[in-house]
Amino acid sequence: MSRYDNPSTSFLAVVLFLFCFCPMVLSLLPQNQTEAMNNLSKNLTPTIPWSGSDPCAWKGVSCDPANSSVLGISLSGFSLPSSDFLPLVCKIETLEHLDVSKNRLSSIPDGFITECGKIKGLKLLNFSVNKLEGVLPTFHGFEALESLDMSFNVMGGNIGLEIDGLVSLKSLNLTFNGFSGSLPTKLGKSMVLEHLLLSDNSFDGKIPDELLSYENLTWIDLKNNKLSQSIPINIGKLSKLETLILSTNNLAGEIPTSLVDITKLSRFAASENRFTGSIPSGITKYLTSLDLSYNNLSGAIPEDLLSPPQLQVVDLSNNALNGPLPRKVSPNLFRLRLGSNQLNGNIPSDAFVGVHNLTYLELDNNILTGSIPAELGSCRSLALLNLAQNQLSGGLPQQLGNLTKLQGLQLQFNNLNGTIPTQIGQLPKLLTLNLSRNSLGGSIPSEIANLGELNFLYLQGNNLSGSIPYPLLT
Ligand SMILES: *[C@@H]1O[C@H](CO)[C@@H](O)[C@H](O)[C@H]1NC(C)=O
Ligand SMILES: *[C@@H]1O[C@H](CO)[C@@H](O)[C@H](O)[C@H]1NC(C)=O
Ligand SMILES: *[C@@H]1O[C@H](CO)[C@@H](O)[C@H](O)[C@H]1NC(C)=O
Ligand SMILES: *[C@@H]1O[C@H](CO)[C@@H](O)[C@H](O)[C@H]1NC(C)=O
Ligand SMILES: *[C@@H]1O[C@H](CO)[C@@H](O)[C@H](O)[C@H]1NC(C)=O
Ligand SMILES: *[C@@H]1O[C@H](CO)[C@@H](O)[C@H](O)[C@H]1NC(C)=O
Ligand SMILES: *[C@@H]1O[C@H](CO)[C@@H](O)[C@H](O)[C@H]1NC(C)=O
Ligand SMILES: *[C@@H]1O[C@H](CO)[C@@H](O)[C@H](O)[C@H]1NC(C)=O
Ligand SMILES: *[C@@H]1O[C@H](CO)[C@@H](O)[C@H](O)[C@H]1NC(C)=O
Ligand SMILES: *[C@@H]1O[C@H](CO)[C@@H](O)[C@H](O)[C@H]1NC(C)=O
Ligand SMILES: *[C@@H]1O[C@H](CO)[C@@H](O)[C@H](O)[C@H]1NC(C)=O
Ligand SMILES: *[C@@H]1O[C@H](CO)[C@@H](O)[C@H](O)[C@H]1NC(C)=O
């Protein structure tokens, strides 16, 4: 009798057979979902390496806690070239999330829109970072869809009523496409939209008043389009707004004072436009970040602009602002850029005391006078101190040597005199030291040789004597 006829061996084979297939027995997915997932898997072979009999165990597939239905499918980042598989996904009638971002899909088949539109619980569709072209499809159904992300594609044309049927839409992201014409105003009949991201397209015309009816908006990003005319004067109606980004357009007129009323607004950016007039008083009352750089704003900086304690970032550079620097500064200020204006008066000596988070201070290209306050030495986080192109006079405070994180010290084109303090040699991170075009005298301190990271040293246009220490010339 050969050993293969041994009854106990056959028994073992049967046990092994059962063991190998037991995951199938344990799979709780209804037969029709397992079949739909197998159909999808077959279509995606070999790009998607799905294997095993329990689809809930496949990479990118998520099921409910009882594994009785598929809730999410993520096929992100596989460079899938064809969207033929998309209608198959719609057979999963329990689907809530579909992420097909980061592939090479160039179209959305009609079958997808008609079939997936019937899925009652589908909340999120992510088509971002593909090669989708043509106009936006018209969405029918999709009654639960809350988030539609079609950013980073090459779609174009005007947007009219295509998404107005999405009655649950809370987040629309069409950033980085080629859409043109007026900004869309039909963004879901039931007006529950919260996030509207339309940056980096070619939208033109004005910001329509109709947008202000979406009172639940918390995030608006219209950066880098061709929008013109003024911001709607009653934008303050959007009382839940937290982020408003309007940079790099052709917007003009004044910054509306109604923005001051939005107590939730944390970030307002409107740089690179053509805004004129003065900065409304109280604009930073609730903000953490304000960017109005590269406009044509004039008048003085409001006295209270820098003082609100939550304020972290202010950029008003490249405008036509005049008058003195505000004297009170938020203790949490991280970045302050006021360069290329017509600001005058002194740098207030007490304003920056204890502003321990201040990392970037740029007051260059103004008409500031007086001396560099020694108190700046207490801003121990400073990485960049740029006071170049002013009319500052007096000596370089030795306390600058306390700024151990300093990487850039730009003081060129001032009237600074006296000698270069030896403490400058205590700045271990200094990369750029520009003291050129001043009236500094005496000899170049040998301690400069301690600046191990120094890449750029500009001392020309002074009355310095001696030589540049040897290690720096190697
Ligand atoms: C799939 O099966 C479930 C019950 O297990 C049923 O409710 C559902 O209608 C079926 N779906 C289809 C498309 O047949
Ligand atoms: C799976 O594919 C087969 C063959 O195309 C089809 O007959 C069947 O209806 C599909 N099943 C599901 C659940 O989609
Ligand atoms: C559901 O599937 C996941 C993934 O395969 C698994 O970790 C989990 O144990 C399963 N839960 C149930 C209740 O079967
Ligand atoms: C869509 O996918 C991209 C890339 O994977 C991701 O960065 C983005 O957050 C996703 N969008 C949504 C709304 O989840
Ligand atoms: C699109 O916007 C949504 C909502 O703000 C965001 O969650 C998502 O990450 C954005 N998509 C990408 C690719 O950044
Ligand atoms: C705004 O959100 C609230 C709470 O989520 C909701 O009740 C309301 O219907 C939404 N829509 C409008 C237009 O306020
Ligand atoms: C800036 O505004 C002033 C008036 O305040 C005007 O004379 C000037 O031409 C404007 N400059 C630009 C570049 O628009
Ligand atoms: C400074 O920054 C740190 C970390 O970013 C933060 O925890 C702290 O509250 C900020 N403010 C001050 C005054 O240090
Ligand atoms: C700052 O620098 C001055 C002069 O170099 C020195 O006397 C003082 O102790 C320093 N302060 C701190 C806090 O390091
Ligand atoms: C530096 O210039 C100021 C006037 O701006 C003058 O009072 C002072 O004596 C000068 N100091 C030196 C060392 O030349
Ligand atoms: C330093 O100042 C000179 C003017 O004297 C200017 O030409 C140069 O670009 C400046 N370099 C840096 C890195 O700031
Ligand atoms: C330059 O320094 C020398 C001494 O080193 C001094 O005699 C001369 O007057 C100074 N020139 C100017 C313009 O300050």
Side-chain angles (χ1 to χ4, degrees), residues 160-356:
L161 292 166
E162 289 80 356
I163 41 189
D164 206 30
L166 297 176
V167 293
S168 301
L169 194 65
K170 286 186 179 169
S171 169
L172 176 67
N173 191 342
L174 302 178
T175 290
F176 246 102
N177 276 283
F179 292 113
S180 57
S182 330
L183 286 173
T185 56
K186 303 287 186 191
L187 301 165
K189 284 189 193 49
S190 47
M191 321 287 292
V192 293
L193 195 69
E194 293 173 8
H195 289 191
L196 178 61
L197 290 87
L198 303 175
S199 62
D200 301 284
N201 280 285
S202 298
F203 290 114
D204 59 21
K206 70 189 295 265
I207 299 175
D209 287 322
E210 287 91 325
L211 277 188
L212 306 184
S213 311
Y214 293 85
E215 290 179 359
N216 279 353
L217 278 170
T218 60
W219 190 309
I220 297 179
D221 185 354
L222 306 176
K223 175 175 79 255
N224 205 10
N225 279 287
K226 296 173 177 164
L227 302 171
S228 56
Q229 303 182 51
S230 8
I231 302 177
I233 197 144
N234 51 344
I235 185 135
K237 265 182 69 182
L238 296 175
S239 62
K240 298 181 179 173
L241 209 54
E242 294 166 14
T243 299
L244 177 60
I245 303 175
L246 306 175
S247 301
T248 320
N249 280 288
N250 295 319
L251 296 165
E254 302 202 356
I255 305 290
T257 51
S258 74
L259 277 173
V260 175
D261 303 331
I262 310 181
T263 61
K264 299 269 172 56
L265 194 62
S266 169
R267 180 170 172 213
F268 175 44
S271 61
E272 294 186 75
N273 279 287
R274 296 177 183 180
F275 291 112
T276 52
S278 51
I279 299 173
S281 172
I283 185 104
T284 51
K285 195 168 171 195
Y286 306 105
L287 294 181
T288 58
S289 171
L290 173 67
D291 184 358
L292 297 175
S293 60
Y294 292 91
N295 279 290
N296 196 7
L297 297 165
S298 55
I301 298 177
E303 180 61 37
D304 57 1
L305 189 106
L306 299 179
S307 60
Q310 78 289 343
L311 194 62
Q312 293 172 359
V313 174
V314 173
D315 191 345
L316 304 176
S317 61
N318 294 279
N319 278 287
L321 299 166
N322 55 31
L325 295 174
R327 310 216 140 234
K328 201 156 177 295
V329 168
S330 157
N332 286 307
L333 206 63
F334 171 76
R335 181 192 289 260
L336 178 60
R337 307 184 73 193
L338 301 176
S340 298
N341 280 287
Q342 287 136 39
L343 301 169
N344 57 26
N346 295 349
I347 301 174
S349 60
D350 48 354
F352 296 99
V353 174
V355 187
H356 293 314

Side-chain angles (χ1 to χ4, degrees), residues 410 412-413 432 434 436-437 458 460:
Q410 313 254 56
Q412 69 270 22
F413 285 111
T432 302
N434 202 339
S436 60
R437 310 274 165 209
Y458 298 84
Q460 73 273 27

Side-chain angles (χ1 to χ4, degrees), residues 1 3-12:
M1 191 164 108
R3 56 192 290 244
Y4 294 106
D5 295 331
N6 182 327
S8 69
T9 311
S10 310
F11 176 71
L12 189 64

